[in-house]
Each structure stands twice: as structure tokens, then as C-alpha cells.
Amino acid sequence: MKEIFLKKLENQLGLTRSDPTSFMFVKALAETASELIRTEWNGTEKTIREEKLRRVYYFSAEFLTGRSLRMNLMNMGLWESAGELAASYGFDLLELLEEEPDSGLGNGGLGRLASCFLDSLASLKLPAMGYGIRYRYGLFSQAIEESRQREKPDAWVDKGDFWGVERPDDFRKIYIGGHVHMSQDQKGKLQFRIDPSEVIHAYPFDYPITGADGKNIGTMRLWEARSPQGFNLDLFNREEHIPAWSDDDQARSLSAVLYPTDQGVKGKHLRLKQQYFFVSASLQDMTERFRRDFAGDWQKFPEQHVIQLNDTHPVLAIPELMRLLMDREGLPWETAWDICTRTFAYTNHTVLSEALETWPVTFIHDLFPRIAMIIEEIHKRLENDLSARENGNSYRIIRNGLIHMAPLAIYGSKSVNGVAALHTEILKDSVLKDWYAVYPDKFNNKTNGITHRRWLIHSNPDLTALIDRGIGKEWHGNPEMLSKLADLSGDSAFLEELKNIKDRNKEKFSRYLKKETSIETDPSSLFDFQVKRIHEYKRQLLNILNIAGRYLDMKDFPGREIQPRTFFIGGKAAPGYFIAKEIIFMANRVGETLRKDPLCKGKLQLVFLPNYRVSMAEKIFPAAEISQQISTAGKEASGTGNMKFMMNGALTMGTLDGANIEIFEKAGKENNYPFGLDTPGVIEARSNYSPGEFLSRNAGAARILEAFEKGVFGPPEDFAPLLGHIRHNDEYLVLPELEAHRAALEATDRGYADTMSWQKKSLLNIAGSGYFSSDRTIGDYNRDIWHLSPLGSSPK
Ligand code: 26Q
């Protein structure tokens, strides 16, 4: 290793310098790891190909990887040597890791789930490949200026992509726009030829996914868009520099930016092009490899491949595979359709109707005319299949000039899954009820999970060491064995150690925050977190209003004893989501008011964490004592942050929503703080609710809103948009649940006062968290949908 490293470092340094900067050092270290990974990686790819192993292809518009150096060094067994190398140059390896750019090619839960899945697939030695887009700009970085969110581009590629390996020989051509020419061959069979108005080249970059012991290396293949002809040399020679680059810039713009919204956008041609771009490139890749290796025996395609669609974003893959099989390979419709419906599987991540994807038929016609023809034919055949059904309308793929992506996904897939038990039930009995009636066997649940390697072993080494001392190390490979910790719940020395580790992690987080943001916090206070994308349904507003209420109580009764508590709220708002941005503004304003009031010192603080991202999350979970998961019941499909908190010993203060329900089951309700309306309760409460009338009867809620309107938190007019909104349109029942949320906060304060019983609850949460490892989730997908054999399991 050292030899390779010195070579790489020499390359970094060039001729003029002798002392590496920390960035150069890290880059050289990553390149060293890369080179050592390469051998194993080639081996994995070779085995899959030679043994003709069935493989899952995870199609996702987002992969929220975060940093990789620590995981890769540890998985490859290079951690110790890397530490020594660093020390010999006077560096601290842990500090060096902070120099790696945090790869944020995703918005939130859905993108992070994709990355956790790739980690588990590699660790379980299952043959897999992730396919997506190599955005040049990941999710924007968030700054807070004058209490408001400001977005700045995240140019992660420019800072240095440590891991991507370019494969220029595997580029694919993507046709956009133009016309379809139909002709007949000698046998009278219809032929389709696309005469495109635009051709884009897709260049693949491969990223290694090192499994737990570095023996099976998975692949994430991300596509980058380029112009086929590069820049225009003729224009350049005529000194027309800007026009000379315009074709290339336009082509590259296709993979330039991740859309920064996690609910979908309307009317954006570029987004639709991105989706088609990456699925077309990926399917051409797969079909061409298959043609080479299987001599075009297409019946075998579904035996060799299963494609998991991460939401509807990659759903154009269904008509695109139809096109490739029919127009390129000459298969008849029926055969092609049969192959598709045996290959695809679809995961739904939302019940919010505004988030279900639709695209105008005209867009698809203009951008992908051949795909439009195929979707129309699928639509017609679906109409025929289901003509006898009532409610025929809800099945239609094309309705009111819009293509509905979920119906296309369901019809073209063999499996449809939700991401938590409650979510799947809601799909079956309301959102997709009619579909469930026709295809009950397609529907199944796969409760989400998170990789315990990143989210516990690597981000909380002290807790990991304690667990190892308590129950041994076997749980690293079999996380459900964490349940053995329950045997130690009466061991006061062990609980004491658990507390000490949490205290140390809180201090560490405090120091990190001070360094990153210059915000000071008191690690002896209770650390309470709500970190996730900002959304009305996630109800950050509920949290903020009760923090404001707590402050008003303190002012009214300054002598009253109170549990010192620090509330942390973090998350990004979609740049076009006005109300979400107003919520960030309010959080910051309340935070500032508390900070300025000496009454709050050592008792009550609200910190808005700027630029919440994977690398910050890794420092948050180990330091958390309360995890707030307070979405309106029925709205959060699953949540996955909730699992990361639980696994690090935080107690959940949450509603009966998404995976919270399963968390309460596995860790015990009595060890957590469930509160609020359940899903039927929400529907019932909403049916006769008017915020105005509610406020006239509820002095507690009215008092908090009025404090803002009286200027307690700064100029009242600043809050007028948000408060005006909530007074008239409280779709997510913030006001009616204020009281239940306040009561839950108080219950946690009381619970926290009994230190040892709190630690016991914390331990029982960790003990129950093994189920939420993505290893379990991947095992479930494999058992029910994928049916893959691990590498090394087939007899030679
Ligand atoms: C769609 C069309 C156009 C532009 C953007 C989008 C888009 C992008 C991202 C729509 C949705 C998303 C992301 C959704 C998401 O993160 N959902 C979360 O998925 C998690 C993993 O299953 C769940 O735990 C969360 O409950 C769910 O909100």
C-alpha cells in the first residue's frame, strides 16, 4: 500500500512542492484505495459474467452517497495502515476524512435509500448494479442569510471526484426529438426508424461499492451527457467562442443539475429528458451485453435481469425496453411485453397525490416520438384488458392529456411495493385500491432499512465498541443479533457506559457545530433533533410553534424549574417551495430570539442547522437523545432518519406514521413517546375542522400565534405569509395537534430526569433496531422479488 501511495502522492505533488496539503494527501489516499479495490472489482465482474449470474439493476434518478473514503479503507482492510501513513506526515486521519467532498446526488430519503441498498447488496454478496445520473451539480448547499435559506451550487465534481472511473468505450447514443419513419421489410413487417433532432452521448462512470469485507465489489454506473461532436471548431476558428461551445454546453446541461425537489415538478422538459437519458443508456448497456453473452436468446433476459424502479422516475424504462426489443431485436409485441412484465418491479415512495408523477402527452410526443407510440399502444391494451371493470378511469395511463406514470409502472411490472407496513396498506386500500383489486398478487411490503455499517459501525465507533464488549461482534454480519443487548438492560454499569458514550458524542457534536457554524450549544442539556427535508406534512412548524410556546411559558413563570433542552432543526427546502422557506425563516427567528434572551441561557435553545447533509447526519445521530418524527399520520411513507436515530440510542417522539409504527413495535411503545392522531383519526379530524373556529375555542394555540403577531419574535409582518396560511389552510392539522405534541415534549422531559431508566430505554431501542438494517430489507426483496444467489454460492 505504501509504495502505491507514494507514487500517487508524487503525482499529486508534481515537481514544485515537497509537502502535501491535506487535500492532496487525501486524494492520493483515495487513489491508492481505488487501485487496490480495482483488482477485487474486476474479479467480481468477471465472476458474474462467467458464471452467468442473475443480477438486480437498481434504476434510480438519485444516489445520495455521501463520503466513501472511510468505508472503503475499512472494508478493504486498509484503515490501520492509512492511519499510520497519515501520522507519519503529521496528519490525523479522522480530520483528513473531512476533506473528501460529500457526494450529494440526491434530495433525501429516496436517494439515501438507494445508497444504503447498494451497500447491503455488496455486503451480502448479491450481484447488483445501480444505474443513475452523474449530475455535475448535486443538491444545492444551503446557507442561512438574514434568517433565510440561500442556495449555492454544489460543484462536487470540480472539487474532485475521487472514485468515478470513466469508461469511454462504453458510451451510448441517445436520440431525442425528430420523427419516426415507418416502412415495411420484404416480409411485410413494420420497421421503425428514428430520425432525431438531437443526439446526445451518454458516458458511463463506474463507482465501486465495497462490501463489508471487500470481497465482493458492487458497481454504481452513472451516466454523463456530452455532445457527440464536442465544440464547433469552425465557429471557434472564426473567433465566435461562445457559439462554438453552445452545442456542447447544451448537451452537457442534460446531466448538469439534480432537480432540487422531492415532490416533483410540472412542465420541465429537461427533467423528463434526464429520466429518459439515463434509462435509455442503461437499457442499451444491458441489452448489448446480453446480446453478446447470450447470443440473443431473449427468453432468458428475465432470468438474467431484474430491474427495480426507484419510484416512477425511471418508468420510461418500460416503453424503452419495448422499443429496444421490438425495433432493434425484431421481437413481436407480445414477446417483448412478456419479457418486460417479467423483468420490472416498482417501488412506490409516496401517497401524496400531488407527488404522483404525470407528464403531458405532448412532451413525450415532442421529445421521444417512438416512446409516445409505444405508451399509446400500452394504454390501449390496458383498456382492452380491463374493459369490463368499473372505475375504468382510475386505471387509465393516459387521462386528460397526461401520462400517469404510476399506472404505467404497475401495469408493466411484476411487483409493486410500498416502503413500510402502514404505507403498503394505504396503497392497497386507498391510493392504488382499484389496481390492488385487479392484481392483488403484485402488491407487497418491503419496510425500508438503513446500512448499520455506515450509520452505526462507522459513524459511532465508541458505541460500537461498547456493544462489542457486551454481546460480541457477530452482530456486524447479522444485525438482528443486536437483540441480545436486551439481556443487559438491567446491568447498571453497562447503562452507565452507554450514558458516558452519549455524553461524549454530544460534546463532540457541540465542538463540531462550533467549528462549522460558530454556534455554541450546551451538551449538558437534552439534545432533541428534527432533521429532514422541510415539508408541511413533516410539520417542522408544529415543533417550532411549541418551542415558541415553551418560551412564552418561561417568560410568564420565570422561576419554574425546567429541563434544559436544545432543539435542533435542520433540512433544506425546495427552492420553489414558498411555505417551506417561510418555515425555515421562522425557525431561525425563534432561534435568534431565544439566543438573545438571557432568560433562556442554559435552559432553552433552538438551533437551525445549516446545510444538513449526509456528512453532518453522521455526526448528529450518535449525539441525539430525542428523535422527532412528527408527520401527519398517513403522510410519511416510511422515514429512514427515524431508524438511524433509533440505532444510535435516541428515543422516538413520534406520530403513528410510516415506519415509526414498526419502531414502536420492535423497541416497545413504553420505551418511546408515541403521540397524536392515527391515520383514521386524521381523516375523521379533518372532516369537520376549520382553523378559524378551532382557534376561537383554543386559547393555548391562539396565544402562540398571537405572540408572533405582537412582535415577540421580531416584526409581525415578517410572519404574516406563514401565519396567514396556517390560519386558513391547515391541511396537515398543525394546530389541532399542538396540545398532544406539547404533552409528549413534557413526558420526555420527565422521562429524561430519571437517568437510568432513560438509558435502559435507549438500550432497548438499539436492541430492537437490527430489523431496520437494510441487510434485512435486501433479504426481503431478494426472497420475494429478485431471487438472486450470492456470489460464491453456486457449485463450480
Ligand atoms: C419527481 C419528478 C420531478 C422532479 C423531482 C421528482 C422527485 C424527486 C425526489 C420526487 C420525489 C423525490 C423523493 C422522494 C423521497 O425522498 N421520498 C421519501 O422516500 C423515503 C424512502 O422510501 C421514505 O422513507 C420517505 O417517507 C419518503 O418521503
Side-chain angles (χ1 to χ4, degrees), residues 62-74:
E62 310 192 1
F63 288 94
L64 225 183
T65 309
R67 292 180 176 139
S68 301
L69 183 55
R70 178 202 292 251
M71 299 261 286
N72 286 346
L73 289 173
M74 286 197 168

Side-chain angles (χ1 to χ4, degrees), residues 109-110 113 262-264 309-313 346-358 405-406 410 416-420 422-428 430-432 443 448 535 537-538 634-639 657-658 732:
L110 166 148
L113 186 76
D262 58 350
Q263 357 183 49
L309 302 172
N310 200 17
D311 215 300
T312 51
H313 316 153
Y346 157 61
T347 304
N348 172 289
H349 297 265
T350 190
V351 298
L352 299 181
S353 51
E354 66 273 22
L356 291 174
E357 231 184 327
T358 60
M405 302 310 239
I410 301 167
V416 177
N417 78 279
V419 291
L422 173 71
H423 173 228
T424 303
E425 288 312 306
I426 293 174
L427 292 180
K428 291 197 290 193
S430 69
V431 185
L432 301 177
F443 283 74
N448 281 166
H535 256 285
Y537 84 81
K538 295 178 190 278
K635 297 296 175 192
E636 188 70 271
S638 163
D657 200 14
Y732 298 105

Side-chain angles (χ1 to χ4, degrees), residues 252-296:
R252 285 175 185 268
S253 73
L254 223 156
S255 61
V257 190
L258 164 74
Y259 274 88
T261 164
D262 58 350
Q263 357 183 49
V265 289
K266 295 265 176 287
K268 300 279 187 265
H269 277 96
L270 184 64
R271 167 75 188 190
L272 190 62
K273 279 189 185 180
Q274 289 183 333
Q275 296 183 352
Y276 179 73
F277 165 77
F278 96 87
V279 299
S280 177
S282 308
L283 287 168
Q284 292 184 53
D285 212 34
M286 291 165 64
T287 49
E288 273 168 44
R289 249 192 327 258
F290 181 83
R291 187 167 353 90
R292 275 203 307 270
D293 294 353
F294 288 82

Side-chain angles (χ1 to χ4, degrees), residues 722-795:
L722 183 52
L723 295 180
H725 176 78
I726 204 77
R727 280 179 178 282
H728 292 104
N729 179 358
D730 185 14
E731 222 194 311
Y732 298 105
L733 304 181
V734 170
L735 302 176
E737 296 218 87
L738 268 172
E739 181 47 33
H741 180 258
R742 190 189 59 79
L745 283 173
E746 287 176 5
T748 57
D749 283 332
R750 285 192 303 275
Y752 193 70
D754 185 345
T755 307
M756 277 305 123
S757 112
W758 184 274
Q759 295 306 323
K760 181 176 169 183
K761 290 174 181 153
S762 170
L763 187 70
L764 291 171
N765 271 280
I766 304 168
S769 71
Y771 178 79
F772 300 102
S773 165
S774 42
D775 289 8
R776 187 273 311 154
T777 311
I778 290 300
D780 290 352
Y781 274 95
N782 196 38
R783 183 192 61 222
D784 299 339
I785 307 169
W786 300 341
H787 312 298
L788 312 166
S789 314
L791 269 95
S793 67
S794 69

